[in-house]
PDB file of all heavy atoms in Angstrom:
ATOM      1  N   VAL A  15       9.607  -8.289  -7.671  1.00  0.00           N
ATOM      2  CA  VAL A  15      10.094  -8.634  -9.097  1.00  0.00           C
ATOM      3  C   VAL A  15       9.405  -9.952  -9.452  1.00  0.00           C
ATOM      4  O   VAL A  15       9.617 -10.947  -8.769  1.00  0.00           O
ATOM      5  CB  VAL A  15      11.620  -8.803  -9.063  1.00  0.00           C
ATOM      6  CG1 VAL A  15      12.061  -9.170 -10.478  1.00  0.00           C
ATOM      7  CG2 VAL A  15      12.285  -7.498  -8.646  1.00  0.00           C
ATOM      8  N   CYS A  16       8.562  -9.897 -10.479  1.00  0.00           N
ATOM      9  CA  CYS A  16       7.835 -11.057 -10.914  1.00  0.00           C
ATOM     10  C   CYS A  16       8.613 -11.992 -11.810  1.00  0.00           C
ATOM     11  O   CYS A  16       9.755 -11.644 -12.207  1.00  0.00           O
ATOM     12  CB  CYS A  16       6.558 -10.556 -11.656  1.00  0.00           C
ATOM     13  SG  CYS A  16       5.516  -9.468 -10.690  1.00  0.00           S
ATOM     14  N   ARG A  17       8.042 -13.136 -12.076  1.00  0.00           N
ATOM     15  CA  ARG A  17       8.781 -14.161 -12.810  1.00  0.00           C
ATOM     16  C   ARG A  17       8.998 -13.730 -14.230  1.00  0.00           C
ATOM     17  O   ARG A  17       9.913 -14.295 -14.905  1.00  0.00           O
ATOM     18  CB  ARG A  17       8.055 -15.544 -12.720  1.00  0.00           C
ATOM     19  CG  ARG A  17       8.043 -16.071 -11.278  1.00  0.00           C
ATOM     20  CD  ARG A  17       7.656 -17.524 -11.247  1.00  0.00           C
ATOM     21  NE  ARG A  17       7.644 -18.005  -9.918  1.00  0.00           N
ATOM     22  CZ  ARG A  17       8.714 -18.558  -9.290  1.00  0.00           C
ATOM     23  NH1 ARG A  17       9.855 -18.538  -9.930  1.00  0.00           N
ATOM     24  NH2 ARG A  17       8.640 -18.998  -8.068  1.00  0.00           N
ATOM     25  N   ASP A  18       8.193 -12.803 -14.756  1.00  0.00           N
ATOM     26  CA  ASP A  18       8.458 -12.346 -16.083  1.00  0.00           C
ATOM     27  C   ASP A  18       9.344 -11.119 -16.133  1.00  0.00           C
ATOM     28  O   ASP A  18       9.532 -10.387 -17.126  1.00  0.00           O
ATOM     29  CB  ASP A  18       7.103 -11.960 -16.797  1.00  0.00           C
ATOM     30  CG  ASP A  18       6.321 -10.887 -16.001  1.00  0.00           C
ATOM     31  OD1 ASP A  18       6.812 -10.386 -14.981  1.00  0.00           O
ATOM     32  OD2 ASP A  18       5.223 -10.570 -16.491  1.00  0.00           O
ATOM     33  N   ASN A  19       9.939 -10.760 -14.917  1.00  0.00           N
ATOM     34  CA  ASN A  19      10.884  -9.670 -14.726  1.00  0.00           C
ATOM     35  C   ASN A  19      10.222  -8.302 -14.740  1.00  0.00           C
ATOM     36  O   ASN A  19      10.930  -7.258 -14.793  1.00  0.00           O
ATOM     37  CB  ASN A  19      12.045  -9.725 -15.728  1.00  0.00           C
ATOM     38  CG  ASN A  19      13.047 -10.786 -15.365  1.00  0.00           C
ATOM     39  OD1 ASN A  19      13.163 -11.205 -14.192  1.00  0.00           O
ATOM     40  ND2 ASN A  19      13.749 -11.357 -16.366  1.00  0.00           N
ATOM     41  N   SER A  20       8.925  -8.298 -14.784  1.00  0.00           N
ATOM     42  CA  SER A  20       8.235  -6.974 -14.489  1.00  0.00           C
ATOM     43  C   SER A  20       8.339  -6.660 -12.997  1.00  0.00           C
ATOM     44  O   SER A  20       8.521  -7.564 -12.200  1.00  0.00           O
ATOM     45  CB  SER A  20       6.785  -7.046 -14.930  1.00  0.00           C
ATOM     46  OG  SER A  20       6.086  -8.023 -14.131  1.00  0.00           O
ATOM     47  N   VAL A  21       8.337  -5.441 -12.622  1.00  0.00           N
ATOM     48  CA  VAL A  21       8.509  -4.985 -11.252  1.00  0.00           C
ATOM     49  C   VAL A  21       7.311  -4.211 -10.793  1.00  0.00           C
ATOM     50  O   VAL A  21       6.888  -3.232 -11.415  1.00  0.00           O
ATOM     51  CB  VAL A  21       9.826  -4.117 -11.076  1.00  0.00           C
ATOM     52  CG1 VAL A  21       9.999  -3.693  -9.589  1.00  0.00           C
ATOM     53  CG2 VAL A  21      11.055  -4.880 -11.603  1.00  0.00           C
ATOM     54  N   LEU A  22       6.742  -4.615  -9.700  1.00  0.00           N
ATOM     55  CA  LEU A  22       5.669  -3.925  -9.022  1.00  0.00           C
ATOM     56  C   LEU A  22       6.130  -3.199  -7.794  1.00  0.00           C
ATOM     57  O   LEU A  22       6.903  -3.763  -7.009  1.00  0.00           O
ATOM     58  CB  LEU A  22       4.518  -4.905  -8.643  1.00  0.00           C
ATOM     59  CG  LEU A  22       4.012  -5.800  -9.766  1.00  0.00           C
ATOM     60  CD1 LEU A  22       2.950  -6.766  -9.204  1.00  0.00           C
ATOM     61  CD2 LEU A  22       3.455  -5.055 -10.898  1.00  0.00           C
ATOM     62  N   ALA A  23       5.826  -1.933  -7.613  1.00  0.00           N
ATOM     63  CA  ALA A  23       6.266  -1.147  -6.506  1.00  0.00           C
ATOM     64  C   ALA A  23       5.194  -0.300  -5.875  1.00  0.00           C
ATOM     65  O   ALA A  23       4.201   0.065  -6.605  1.00  0.00           O
ATOM     66  CB  ALA A  23       7.382  -0.188  -6.959  1.00  0.00           C
ATOM     67  N   GLN A  24       5.240  -0.043  -4.646  1.00  0.00           N
ATOM     68  CA  GLN A  24       4.308   0.790  -3.962  1.00  0.00           C
ATOM     69  C   GLN A  24       5.067   2.066  -3.568  1.00  0.00           C
ATOM     70  O   GLN A  24       6.101   1.998  -2.941  1.00  0.00           O
ATOM     71  CB  GLN A  24       3.707   0.156  -2.724  1.00  0.00           C
ATOM     72  CG  GLN A  24       2.543   0.844  -2.024  1.00  0.00           C
ATOM     73  CD  GLN A  24       3.028   1.733  -0.861  1.00  0.00           C
ATOM     74  OE1 GLN A  24       4.060   1.526  -0.297  1.00  0.00           O
ATOM     75  NE2 GLN A  24       2.199   2.746  -0.529  1.00  0.00           N
ATOM     76  N   LEU A  25       4.482   3.236  -3.881  1.00  0.00           N
ATOM     77  CA  LEU A  25       5.119   4.494  -3.689  1.00  0.00           C
ATOM     78  C   LEU A  25       4.256   5.379  -2.782  1.00  0.00           C
ATOM     79  O   LEU A  25       3.054   5.202  -2.745  1.00  0.00           O
ATOM     80  CB  LEU A  25       5.391   5.280  -4.997  1.00  0.00           C
ATOM     81  CG  LEU A  25       6.451   4.777  -5.979  1.00  0.00           C
ATOM     82  CD1 LEU A  25       6.046   3.499  -6.643  1.00  0.00           C
ATOM     83  CD2 LEU A  25       6.788   5.881  -7.005  1.00  0.00           C
ATOM     84  N   GLY A  26       4.865   6.308  -2.063  1.00  0.00           N
ATOM     85  CA  GLY A  26       4.091   7.261  -1.230  1.00  0.00           C
ATOM     86  C   GLY A  26       5.038   8.058  -0.386  1.00  0.00           C
ATOM     87  O   GLY A  26       6.244   7.753  -0.294  1.00  0.00           O
ATOM     88  N   THR A  27       4.492   9.006   0.249  1.00  0.00           N
ATOM     89  CA  THR A  27       5.295   9.823   1.159  1.00  0.00           C
ATOM     90  C   THR A  27       5.611   9.004   2.401  1.00  0.00           C
ATOM     91  O   THR A  27       4.888   7.980   2.740  1.00  0.00           O
ATOM     92  CB  THR A  27       4.539  11.067   1.680  1.00  0.00           C
ATOM     93  OG1 THR A  27       3.288  10.682   2.150  1.00  0.00           O
ATOM     94  CG2 THR A  27       4.378  12.083   0.523  1.00  0.00           C
ATOM     95  N   PRO A  28       6.735   9.157   3.089  1.00  0.00           N
ATOM     96  CA  PRO A  28       7.083   8.369   4.278  1.00  0.00           C
ATOM     97  C   PRO A  28       6.187   8.679   5.483  1.00  0.00           C
ATOM     98  O   PRO A  28       6.549   9.524   6.293  1.00  0.00           O
ATOM     99  CB  PRO A  28       8.557   8.722   4.468  1.00  0.00           C
ATOM    100  CG  PRO A  28       8.758  10.019   3.895  1.00  0.00           C
ATOM    101  CD  PRO A  28       7.769  10.209   2.739  1.00  0.00           C
ATOM    102  N   ASP A  29       5.096   7.993   5.614  1.00  0.00           N
ATOM    103  CA  ASP A  29       4.160   8.268   6.601  1.00  0.00           C
ATOM    104  C   ASP A  29       3.511   6.927   7.031  1.00  0.00           C
ATOM    105  O   ASP A  29       2.849   6.294   6.185  1.00  0.00           O
ATOM    106  CB  ASP A  29       3.069   9.290   6.091  1.00  0.00           C
ATOM    107  CG  ASP A  29       2.214   9.859   7.220  1.00  0.00           C
ATOM    108  OD1 ASP A  29       1.812   9.085   8.149  1.00  0.00           O
ATOM    109  OD2 ASP A  29       1.872  11.068   7.182  1.00  0.00           O
ATOM    110  N   MET A  30       3.710   6.556   8.281  1.00  0.00           N
ATOM    111  CA  MET A  30       3.168   5.264   8.741  1.00  0.00           C
ATOM    112  C   MET A  30       1.657   5.209   8.719  1.00  0.00           C
ATOM    113  O   MET A  30       1.071   4.090   8.804  1.00  0.00           O
ATOM    114  CB  MET A  30       3.646   5.004  10.141  1.00  0.00           C
ATOM    115  CG  MET A  30       5.081   4.501  10.184  1.00  0.00           C
ATOM    116  SD  MET A  30       5.408   3.055   9.198  1.00  0.00           S
ATOM    117  CE  MET A  30       4.311   1.855  10.006  1.00  0.00           C
ATOM    118  N   ARG A  31       0.978   6.332   8.635  1.00  0.00           N
ATOM    119  CA  ARG A  31      -0.516   6.255   8.609  1.00  0.00           C
ATOM    120  C   ARG A  31      -1.039   5.631   7.307  1.00  0.00           C
ATOM    121  O   ARG A  31      -2.186   5.128   7.351  1.00  0.00           O
ATOM    122  CB  ARG A  31      -1.067   7.686   8.750  1.00  0.00           C
ATOM    123  CG  ARG A  31      -0.834   8.281  10.151  1.00  0.00           C
ATOM    124  CD  ARG A  31      -1.300   9.702  10.246  1.00  0.00           C
ATOM    125  NE  ARG A  31      -0.519  10.569   9.398  1.00  0.00           N
ATOM    126  CZ  ARG A  31      -0.759  11.907   9.221  1.00  0.00           C
ATOM    127  NH1 ARG A  31      -1.738  12.452   9.947  1.00  0.00           N
ATOM    128  NH2 ARG A  31      -0.029  12.612   8.432  1.00  0.00           N
ATOM    129  N   VAL A  32      -0.256   5.550   6.243  1.00  0.00           N
ATOM    130  CA  VAL A  32      -0.732   4.839   5.052  1.00  0.00           C
ATOM    131  C   VAL A  32      -0.895   3.371   5.248  1.00  0.00           C
ATOM    132  O   VAL A  32      -1.985   2.799   5.017  1.00  0.00           O
ATOM    133  CB  VAL A  32       0.211   5.152   3.858  1.00  0.00           C
ATOM    134  CG1 VAL A  32      -0.173   4.344   2.664  1.00  0.00           C
ATOM    135  CG2 VAL A  32       0.194   6.664   3.531  1.00  0.00           C
ATOM    136  N   PRO A  33       0.153   2.622   5.700  1.00  0.00           N
ATOM    137  CA  PRO A  33      -0.065   1.205   5.969  1.00  0.00           C
ATOM    138  C   PRO A  33      -1.012   0.937   7.068  1.00  0.00           C
ATOM    139  O   PRO A  33      -1.777  -0.071   7.029  1.00  0.00           O
ATOM    140  CB  PRO A  33       1.325   0.665   6.271  1.00  0.00           C
ATOM    141  CG  PRO A  33       2.132   1.851   6.627  1.00  0.00           C
ATOM    142  CD  PRO A  33       1.621   3.020   5.831  1.00  0.00           C
ATOM    143  N   ILE A  34      -1.116   1.819   8.072  1.00  0.00           N
ATOM    144  CA  ILE A  34      -2.038   1.653   9.155  1.00  0.00           C
ATOM    145  C   ILE A  34      -3.504   1.715   8.603  1.00  0.00           C
ATOM    146  O   ILE A  34      -4.352   0.906   8.961  1.00  0.00           O
ATOM    147  CB  ILE A  34      -1.800   2.671  10.256  1.00  0.00           C
ATOM    148  CG1 ILE A  34      -0.506   2.346  10.962  1.00  0.00           C
ATOM    149  CG2 ILE A  34      -2.998   2.703  11.249  1.00  0.00           C
ATOM    150  CD1 ILE A  34      -0.089   3.482  11.927  1.00  0.00           C
ATOM    151  N   ALA A  35      -3.767   2.750   7.811  1.00  0.00           N
ATOM    152  CA  ALA A  35      -5.094   2.948   7.250  1.00  0.00           C
ATOM    153  C   ALA A  35      -5.456   1.772   6.349  1.00  0.00           C
ATOM    154  O   ALA A  35      -6.646   1.253   6.373  1.00  0.00           O
ATOM    155  CB  ALA A  35      -5.129   4.245   6.443  1.00  0.00           C
ATOM    156  N   TYR A  36      -4.511   1.266   5.585  1.00  0.00           N
ATOM    157  CA  TYR A  36      -4.818   0.114   4.737  1.00  0.00           C
ATOM    158  C   TYR A  36      -5.118  -1.162   5.595  1.00  0.00           C
ATOM    159  O   TYR A  36      -5.987  -1.942   5.260  1.00  0.00           O
ATOM    160  CB  TYR A  36      -3.637  -0.147   3.774  1.00  0.00           C
ATOM    161  CG  TYR A  36      -3.966  -1.214   2.705  1.00  0.00           C
ATOM    162  CD1 TYR A  36      -4.976  -0.990   1.808  1.00  0.00           C
ATOM    163  CD2 TYR A  36      -3.215  -2.402   2.688  1.00  0.00           C
ATOM    164  CE1 TYR A  36      -5.272  -1.912   0.847  1.00  0.00           C
ATOM    165  CE2 TYR A  36      -3.501  -3.374   1.673  1.00  0.00           C
ATOM    166  CZ  TYR A  36      -4.528  -3.118   0.779  1.00  0.00           C
ATOM    167  OH  TYR A  36      -4.818  -4.057  -0.190  1.00  0.00           O
ATOM    168  N   GLY A  37      -4.371  -1.325   6.681  1.00  0.00           N
ATOM    169  CA  GLY A  37      -4.612  -2.458   7.522  1.00  0.00           C
ATOM    170  C   GLY A  37      -5.970  -2.370   8.208  1.00  0.00           C
ATOM    171  O   GLY A  37      -6.726  -3.379   8.319  1.00  0.00           O
ATOM    172  N   LEU A  38      -6.352  -1.189   8.622  1.00  0.00           N
ATOM    173  CA  LEU A  38      -7.658  -0.992   9.259  1.00  0.00           C
ATOM    174  C   LEU A  38      -8.839  -1.208   8.335  1.00  0.00           C
ATOM    175  O   LEU A  38      -9.872  -1.682   8.722  1.00  0.00           O
ATOM    176  CB  LEU A  38      -7.779   0.397   9.890  1.00  0.00           C
ATOM    177  CG  LEU A  38      -6.942   0.683  11.178  1.00  0.00           C
ATOM    178  CD1 LEU A  38      -6.953   2.166  11.478  1.00  0.00           C
ATOM    179  CD2 LEU A  38      -7.542  -0.114  12.365  1.00  0.00           C
ATOM    180  N   SER A  39      -8.654  -0.800   7.060  1.00  0.00           N
ATOM    181  CA  SER A  39      -9.810  -0.858   6.094  1.00  0.00           C
ATOM    182  C   SER A  39      -9.746  -1.957   5.062  1.00  0.00           C
ATOM    183  O   SER A  39     -10.645  -2.119   4.315  1.00  0.00           O
ATOM    184  CB  SER A  39      -9.797   0.451   5.288  1.00  0.00           C
ATOM    185  OG  SER A  39      -8.632   0.605   4.512  1.00  0.00           O
ATOM    186  N   PHE A  40      -8.671  -2.754   5.065  1.00  0.00           N
ATOM    187  CA  PHE A  40      -8.479  -3.780   4.079  1.00  0.00           C
ATOM    188  C   PHE A  40      -9.741  -4.628   3.845  1.00  0.00           C
ATOM    189  O   PHE A  40     -10.436  -5.053   4.792  1.00  0.00           O
ATOM    190  CB  PHE A  40      -7.297  -4.728   4.492  1.00  0.00           C
ATOM    191  CG  PHE A  40      -7.095  -5.909   3.584  1.00  0.00           C
ATOM    192  CD1 PHE A  40      -6.443  -5.796   2.426  1.00  0.00           C
ATOM    193  CD2 PHE A  40      -7.659  -7.144   3.887  1.00  0.00           C
ATOM    194  CE1 PHE A  40      -6.193  -6.830   1.557  1.00  0.00           C
ATOM    195  CE2 PHE A  40      -7.492  -8.248   3.055  1.00  0.00           C
ATOM    196  CZ  PHE A  40      -6.780  -8.092   1.915  1.00  0.00           C
ATOM    197  N   PRO A  41     -10.144  -4.859   2.610  1.00  0.00           N
ATOM    198  CA  PRO A  41      -9.435  -4.537   1.355  1.00  0.00           C
ATOM    199  C   PRO A  41      -9.789  -3.195   0.746  1.00  0.00           C
ATOM    200  O   PRO A  41      -9.450  -2.924  -0.437  1.00  0.00           O
ATOM    201  CB  PRO A  41      -9.894  -5.706   0.399  1.00  0.00           C
ATOM    202  CG  PRO A  41     -11.306  -5.946   0.872  1.00  0.00           C
ATOM    203  CD  PRO A  41     -11.257  -5.766   2.355  1.00  0.00           C
ATOM    204  N   GLN A  42     -10.477  -2.362   1.497  1.00  0.00           N
ATOM    205  CA  GLN A  42     -10.879  -1.108   0.975  1.00  0.00           C
ATOM    206  C   GLN A  42      -9.745  -0.085   1.275  1.00  0.00           C
ATOM    207  O   GLN A  42      -8.669  -0.394   1.829  1.00  0.00           O
ATOM    208  CB  GLN A  42     -12.151  -0.602   1.688  1.00  0.00           C
ATOM    209  CG  GLN A  42     -13.351  -1.566   1.421  1.00  0.00           C
ATOM    210  CD  GLN A  42     -14.579  -1.114   2.295  1.00  0.00           C
ATOM    211  OE1 GLN A  42     -14.584  -0.102   2.945  1.00  0.00           O
ATOM    212  NE2 GLN A  42     -15.546  -2.044   2.363  1.00  0.00           N
ATOM    213  N   ARG A  43      -9.961   1.172   0.809  1.00  0.00           N
ATOM    214  CA  ARG A  43      -8.993   2.217   1.005  1.00  0.00           C
ATOM    215  C   ARG A  43      -9.711   3.419   1.732  1.00  0.00           C
ATOM    216  O   ARG A  43     -10.830   3.744   1.328  1.00  0.00           O
ATOM    217  CB  ARG A  43      -8.413   2.728  -0.283  1.00  0.00           C
ATOM    218  CG  ARG A  43      -7.652   1.681  -1.110  1.00  0.00           C
ATOM    219  CD  ARG A  43      -6.185   1.611  -0.631  1.00  0.00           C
ATOM    220  NE  ARG A  43      -5.423   0.657  -1.395  1.00  0.00           N
ATOM    221  CZ  ARG A  43      -4.131   0.484  -1.348  1.00  0.00           C
ATOM    222  NH1 ARG A  43      -3.428   1.289  -0.537  1.00  0.00           N
ATOM    223  NH2 ARG A  43      -3.528  -0.411  -2.130  1.00  0.00           N
ATOM    224  N   ILE A  44      -9.134   4.009   2.751  1.00  0.00           N
ATOM    225  CA  ILE A  44      -9.676   5.138   3.381  1.00  0.00           C
ATOM    226  C   ILE A  44      -8.600   6.249   3.599  1.00  0.00           C
ATOM    227  O   ILE A  44      -7.419   5.968   3.362  1.00  0.00           O
ATOM    228  CB  ILE A  44     -10.231   4.756   4.839  1.00  0.00           C
ATOM    229  CG1 ILE A  44      -9.072   4.204   5.685  1.00  0.00           C
ATOM    230  CG2 ILE A  44     -11.357   3.756   4.688  1.00  0.00           C
ATOM    231  CD1 ILE A  44      -9.488   3.913   7.145  1.00  0.00           C
ATOM    232  N   GLU A  45      -9.086   7.445   3.858  1.00  0.00           N
ATOM    233  CA  GLU A  45      -8.172   8.534   4.089  1.00  0.00           C
ATOM    234  C   GLU A  45      -7.234   8.223   5.256  1.00  0.00           C
ATOM    235  O   GLU A  45      -7.654   7.707   6.290  1.00  0.00           O
ATOM    236  CB  GLU A  45      -8.936   9.816   4.481  1.00  0.00           C
ATOM    237  CG  GLU A  45      -8.021  11.038   4.763  1.00  0.00           C
ATOM    238  CD  GLU A  45      -8.774  12.166   5.427  1.00  0.00           C
ATOM    239  OE1 GLU A  45      -9.978  12.052   5.620  1.00  0.00           O
ATOM    240  OE2 GLU A  45      -8.118  13.103   5.784  1.00  0.00           O
ATOM    241  N   SER A  46      -5.915   8.518   5.040  1.00  0.00           N
ATOM    242  CA  SER A  46      -4.948   8.178   6.099  1.00  0.00           C
ATOM    243  C   SER A  46      -4.426   9.430   6.795  1.00  0.00           C
ATOM    244  O   SER A  46      -3.920   9.353   7.922  1.00  0.00           O
ATOM    245  CB  SER A  46      -3.752   7.465   5.409  1.00  0.00           C
ATOM    246  OG  SER A  46      -3.054   8.409   4.549  1.00  0.00           O
ATOM    247  N   GLY A  47      -4.569  10.579   6.117  1.00  0.00           N
ATOM    248  CA  GLY A  47      -3.974  11.811   6.709  1.00  0.00           C
ATOM    249  C   GLY A  47      -2.629  12.107   6.130  1.00  0.00           C
ATOM    250  O   GLY A  47      -2.048  13.214   6.394  1.00  0.00           O
TER     251      GLY A  47
END
């Protein structure tokens, strides 16, 4: 929740491979499965 009261959210299926893939490739994006 930002100071202007806009809200930023990250959505996706409940799969730990998404944050793992982002950590491995940061700041890029790669296929997670």
Side-chain angles (χ1 to χ4, degrees):
V15 180
C16 302
R17 293 195 180 273
D18 60 1
N19 285 333
S20 60
V21 180
L22 307 176
Q24 189 264 338
L25 289 73
T27 54
D29 193 320
M30 282 303 299
R31 290 176 295 179
V32 173
I34 289 169
Y36 189 61
L38 286 169
S39 64
F40 175 82
Q42 301 173 10
R43 299 274 182 171
I44 59 174
E45 179 196 353
S46 66

